[in-house]
Amino acid sequence: MPNFTYHHVFEPASEPDACPLLLLHGTGGNEHDLLRVGRMLSPTGAILSPRGDVNEAGALRFFARLGEGTFDPAEVMRRTLALADFVQTATRHYGIDPARLTAVGFSNGANIAGTMMLLRPDVLRAAILFRPMVVLDHPAVHESLVGRRVLLTHGTTDPLVPRDHPDRLASLFRAGGADVQLQMIPASHALTPQDIAVAESWLAR
Ligand code: MLT
């Protein structure tokens, strides 16, 4: 058994060809939060769901922040690389196919899934980002995301995500050649059934 650096849940696939998911919860959540959503999106696929290892006054998340929507790039990079290393160790250990691994992240979890796509494009095949924002304003390296797919869902009345961020984030991924879909949802920051429906049809494409 490797020395895993994150507490996590792993559920094996019951069908070998089903899409494996990496679930990344939002601030104040834990590794169990997105299991139901994960099962809706991939009923028979493997699921890897780590718990955020940063404790912000009792609320777990995946990197520390300076304030709401204010980030330290060095902290974000360090935590992103650490999570990417964990994911690679876990995929090897559990026999998950990295060429098909799709991240599903909400809020802070969407943010670290996005920075993982930008900084470690080898780790994920695709990412579903619910309510992400621009955390690292770095475009992906040219052609580093060719063959990768990203879905972003933005809540049109979300008070936490600035209005220009979804388009800016989409451009950062497109700079690397990713196939990006940005979907506006008439909602606030919380996940809605419409987010799940959009993600289901995007995955089926
Ligand atoms: C959050 O509350 O998690 C923020 O909206 C996103 C973040 O801090 O990464």
Side-chain angles (χ1 to χ4, degrees):
M1 174 79 78
N3 184 17
F4 285 121
T5 46
Y6 287 76
H7 288 279
H8 62 279
V9 168
F10 171 69
E11 293 182 359
S14 53
E15 266 177 4
D17 291 341
C19 178
L21 299 181
L22 169 69
L23 305 182
L24 297 164
H25 65 80
T27 302
N30 64 40
E31 67 277 27
H32 300 286
D33 275 21
L34 291 176
L35 291 177
R36 204 172 60 88
V37 168
R39 275 289 158 246
M40 289 164 89
L41 296 177
S42 183
T44 55
I47 283 184
L48 177 66
S49 184
R51 180 195 300 174
D53 59 347
V54 170
N55 188 327
E56 184 189 79
L60 296 176
R61 33 186 291 126
F62 289 96
F63 52 81
R65 58 183 163 180
L66 303 173
E68 178 65 57
T70 317
F71 307 104
D72 168 10
E75 159 71 4
V76 174
M77 283 188 215
R78 187 168 71 81
R79 299 278 180 186
T80 303
L81 299 182
L83 184 64
D85 287 344
F86 160 77
V87 173
Q88 286 193 316
T89 303
T91 50
R92 268 196 300 272
H93 177 74
Y94 292 120
I96 298 170
D97 180 3
R100 294 185 303 131
L101 184 61
T102 297
V104 179
F106 168 65
S107 191
N108 178 247
N111 289 345
I112 198 157
T115 55
M116 207 186 306
M117 266 284 182
L118 294 173
L119 298 177
R120 288 284 294 272
D122 51 322
V123 177
L124 297 170
R125 177 52 180 257
I128 296 171
L129 310 181
F130 296 123
R131 310 292 184 273
M133 58 175 75
V134 176
V135 170
L136 285 180
D137 206 353
H138 298 179
V141 172
H142 181 61
E143 297 204 336
S144 62
L145 295 178
V146 171
R148 305 283 192 280
R149 300 172 69 212
V150 184
L151 170 68
L152 297 89
T153 74
H154 176 66
T156 51
T157 59
D158 187 337
L160 299 180
V161 178
R163 265 173 187 277
D164 61 328
H165 277 221
D167 278 322
R168 282 174 52 202
L169 191 53
S171 304
L172 300 181
F173 296 125
R174 286 190 180 119
D179 168 355
V180 183
Q181 180 178 328
L182 169 56
Q183 187 73 40
M184 297 294 171
I185 307 280
S188 184
H189 198 64
L191 262 185
T192 67
Q194 199 178 333
D195 288 273
I196 311 298
V198 167
E200 275 173 333
S201 55
W202 180 84
L203 268 177
R205 258 218 281 122

